[in-house]
Amino acid sequence: MTLKSPVCNMPDDQEKKGHTRILGLTVCSAAIGGTLQYGYNIAIINTPTIYIQRFINETCRERWGAELEVYQVTLIWTFIVSIFSLGGLVGALIAGPMAVRFGRKKSLLVNNVFLMLSSVLAVTSRAARSFEMIIVARLLVGINAGVSMNIQPMYFGESAPKHLRGAVALSSAVFTAFGVVLGQVVGLREILGSESCWPYLLASNVVPGLIQLLTLPWFPESPRYLLIDKGNKEACIKALTQLRGCDVLHSEMEEILQEQAAASGIRAKRPWELFTDRSMRWQLLSIMVISSAMQLCGNDAIYFYATYIFQEAGISLDKIQYVTIGTGSCEFTASILSNLLIERLGRKMLLMGGYILMAGWAVVFMVALSLQHTAPWIPYLSMVCIFAYILSFGMGPAGVTGVLPTEIFNQMARPAAYMIAGSLMWINLFFVGMVFPFLVSGFGQFCFIPFCAVCLLSSLFIGLVLPETKGKTLPAIASEYDKLNFRGQEKQCSGTAQTQYQLGKVLHSTAM
């Protein structure tokens, strides 16, 4: 068969700008109700801590006529906070099947069901005198975040042109960081962070979800999903025309058709099947190590530790909430800068550079903590370390990690790869949240030694194993991994993916 390109009447520059604008609006619509929710819901839970703990105690006193011990209130509060991570794990596990069954765009829309239920429970919890409703609300919003954190980068990576693939996929990190800043601002006492407004603060995440529901249906589905998974060539051409225009339609359709032919008759892989597939052994190991390192590097822990440092620096308690906004602003600024640099410097350099800088700042941070009371300016050095650590994280690991599964796994393995990567991220987030207080009590000012080790080992692994994926096709990336997957058998097995794609090209050509 032949591909019929739609007729274009607009000048080339005008058409290119128009389609770039559509791609940009698609990204904004998906992300504002997607990864923005992850950052937003991490931030908004911090402000009402005292108010919710007081509510827990009052509720128990009304029910049973006795107040809880301090440790009991703290335990319930810790469960409210940490169940968000468990919900994220559930979301990561169901994201793969959702992406295959409903598609990328429709999955993001369906995902808002969890968000709406969460908001209803949160806003009515105080009137119902039930802190259990807050627990369920946090579980549901965690599921929402887990689904979006997996499906959104997949949607972006499959919808963006090759030369913008990294920048578009990295926008997930930009919106996550923006969600943190937005949550910190909305959580100010002058806005929704007061005792009378905390239920509305917890339910305010419904607003980005509604914006997504109203806007995302107007934008196209992933072209690769439409053709490779659904076999709908007309819908794929229509989606590509919306996102690219006419000039590149034919060449990109040829590439997708070749991938479709190579995957013909092959169903989407299950997560456990990736562990037994030798041709994907090192790809799987790469995303497992890098996804785990993203949480084990201690960035979230340093957020937790910021309040103590600000207090030590002499900042009054009523001003700390404003200073804390600076931490989120640092990651937001760094993620924007990383978005601008990713297609110039590449994924590997940003990842390695980010982790090496984090290791260096962790060392300075521990030295500053050891000398905390020796000079009046030392606490401010600790503050600088906080901001520098977060900037280093935002420059590389925060965004590039989510790009990699799209670039190193094919269409049939990608949903399963995201399930594995997402599950590890949420498990390790929960682990760090539970272990960090014990690290502080056990190691004191040297509590960041484990995080420093993770950063150094991760940068070493990336330097030795991860190929640069910038501007490369999937067969080219796969052929580099084949040198590791089939070490010692290069002549027989090297270039497996390239061979499959060449076969797909032949099959496609004979069908035309």
Side-chain angles (χ1 to χ4, degrees):
M1 63 167 290
T2 57
L3 298 174
K4 295 182 179 179
S5 298
V7 178
C8 299
N9 299 318
M10 289 188 296
D12 290 344
D13 290 344
Q14 184 179 350
E15 182 193 3
K16 185 176 180 180
K17 289 180 181 178
H19 294 292
T20 302
R21 184 172 63 251
I22 291 174
L23 177 62
L25 291 173
T26 302
V27 167
C28 290
S29 177
I32 203 168
T35 53
L36 180 142
Q37 294 281 12
Y38 171 72
Y40 188 80
N41 285 288
I42 281 180
I44 61 173
I45 197 63
N46 294 322
T47 302
T49 299
I50 297 175
Y51 308 136
I52 296 178
Q53 288 180 343
R54 188 179 301 161
F55 171 68
I56 292 170
N57 212 358
E58 291 173 354
T59 302
C60 293
R61 186 170 61 245
E62 291 174 5
R63 289 181 185 176
W64 301 299
E67 291 191 0
L68 296 177
E69 298 290 338
V70 173
Y71 80 91
Q72 293 174 317
V73 175
T74 303
L75 182 62
I76 295 173
W77 170 247
T78 303
F79 190 64
I80 289 174
V81 174
S82 61
I83 202 169
F84 176 76
S85 302
L86 297 181
L89 174 60
V90 174
L93 292 174
I94 66 174
M98 284 180 66
V100 173
R101 181 177 179 83
F102 301 114
R104 288 34 167 170
K105 184 181 81 170
K106 190 177 291 185
S107 293
L108 290 174
L109 292 171
V110 172
N111 189 34
N112 283 290
V113 172
F114 300 112
L115 182 67
M116 301 301 169
L117 291 174
S118 168
S119 298
V120 171
L121 289 171
V123 80
T124 57
S125 59
R126 184 166 58 185
R129 310 303 295 171
S130 172
F131 61 83
E132 293 88 352
M133 292 172 67
I134 303 176
I135 295 174
V136 177
R138 288 289 292 176
L139 175 68
L140 290 172
V141 81
I143 295 174
N144 173 271
V147 171
S148 63
M149 289 288 283
N150 276 21
I151 294 180
Q152 183 182 304
M154 197 187 314
Y155 180 39
F156 288 175
E158 293 175 1
S159 299
K162 185 167 58 178
H163 68 285
L164 293 176
R165 188 175 59 202
V168 170
L170 192 60
S171 63
S172 296
V174 175
F175 278 91
T176 299
F178 177 65
V180 172
V181 177
L182 184 63
Q184 289 171 337
V185 172
V186 174
L188 291 174
R189 284 187 292 271
E190 293 84 351
I191 303 178
L192 291 179
S194 63
E195 185 168 12
S196 61
C197 294
W198 66 259
Y200 303 103
L201 176 63
L202 296 184
S204 61
N205 50 29
V206 72
V207 176
L210 288 174
I211 294 174
Q212 184 183 77
L213 286 172
L214 292 173
T215 57
L216 190 57
W218 299 96
F219 298 110
E221 174 61 274
S222 158
R224 289 181 179 272
Y225 171 79
L226 290 170
L227 182 59
I228 299 174
D229 290 82
K230 304 301 290 184
N232 192 335
K233 192 171 298 181
E234 291 182 3
C236 177
I237 293 173
K238 182 179 179 181
L240 275 177
T241 304
Q242 287 181 270
L243 293 168
R244 309 280 193 277
C246 306
D247 291 340
V248 296
L249 175 61
H250 186 81
S251 61
E252 189 157 352
M253 273 297 297
E254 288 287 343
E255 182 185 340
I256 299 175
L257 283 166
Q258 290 169 25
E259 187 175 349
Q260 182 199 34
S264 179
I266 303 175
R267 61 168 174 79
K269 288 184 176 293
R270 310 293 197 269
W272 53 88
E273 292 175 339
L274 295 186
F275 289 94
T276 58
D277 188 341
R278 182 169 183 174
S279 67
M280 294 185 181
R281 179 179 298 173
W282 280 93
Q283 290 95 316
L284 182 62
L285 183 60
S286 295
I287 62 118
M288 289 177 67
V289 170
I290 296 171
S291 297
S292 297
M294 184 179 176
Q295 297 297 348
L296 294 178
C297 69
N299 185 70
D300 289 326
I302 209 166
Y303 270 116
F304 173 81
Y305 210 54
T307 300
Y308 166 76
I309 298 299
F310 295 145
Q311 286 178 329
E312 288 297 302
I315 299 173
S316 60
L317 287 174
D318 61 326
K319 296 293 189 299
I320 286 179
Q321 62 169 344
Y322 306 108
V323 179
T324 303
I325 295 176
T327 59
S329 300
C330 277
E331 188 168 337
F332 181 52
T333 303
S335 62
I336 293 175
L337 185 59
S338 179
N339 196 280
L340 298 174
L341 294 176
I342 188 170
E343 295 301 345
R344 178 174 297 182
L345 299 179
R347 287 64 159 152
K348 189 170 184 175
M349 182 176 291
L350 286 178
L351 274 174
M352 285 186 64
Y355 280 123
I356 291 172
L357 285 173
M358 290 170 72
W361 285 113
V363 172
V364 178
F365 183 52
M366 288 185 289
V367 172
L369 289 178
S370 301
L371 304 175
Q372 191 81 353
H373 301 290
T374 60
W377 56 269
I378 293 293
Y380 294 96
L381 176 60
S382 301
M383 290 175 58
V384 170
C385 290
I386 290 176
F387 293 122
Y389 198 93
I390 294 171
L391 279 169
S392 303
F393 178 77
M395 281 289 292
V400 180
T401 303
V403 177
L404 291 177
T406 299
E407 297 190 325
I408 66 178
F409 287 93
N410 61 35
Q411 191 79 6
M412 296 298 103
R414 195 171 295 135
Y418 267 105
M419 286 176 65
I420 294 170
S423 298
L424 286 172
M425 287 174 63
W426 287 103
I427 289 171
N428 285 304
L429 175 62
F430 180 79
F431 173 76
V432 170
M434 296 298 293
V435 167
F436 182 72
F438 299 99
L439 287 177
V440 174
S441 61
F443 289 87
Q445 65 268 34
F446 301 110
C447 59
F448 268 75
I449 287 178
F451 302 136
C452 182
V454 168
C455 292
L456 290 174
L457 291 174
S458 299
S459 63
L460 180 63
F461 177 88
I462 292 164
L464 294 176
V465 173
L466 187 71
E468 180 52 67
T469 60
K470 181 186 72 172
K472 294 181 181 178
T473 62
L474 180 62
I477 297 169
S479 66
E480 292 193 44
Y481 268 113
D482 279 345
K483 297 173 185 177
L484 295 172
N485 291 325
F486 302 105
R487 186 177 297 166
Q489 303 179 33
E490 288 84 1
K491 292 183 179 180
Q492 293 82 9
C493 303
S494 182
T496 300
Q498 186 72 44
T499 303
Q500 291 177 345
Y501 268 70
Q502 291 299 328
L503 177 59
K505 189 173 182 179
V506 172
L507 292 173
H508 170 58
S509 299
T510 57
M512 290 181 62

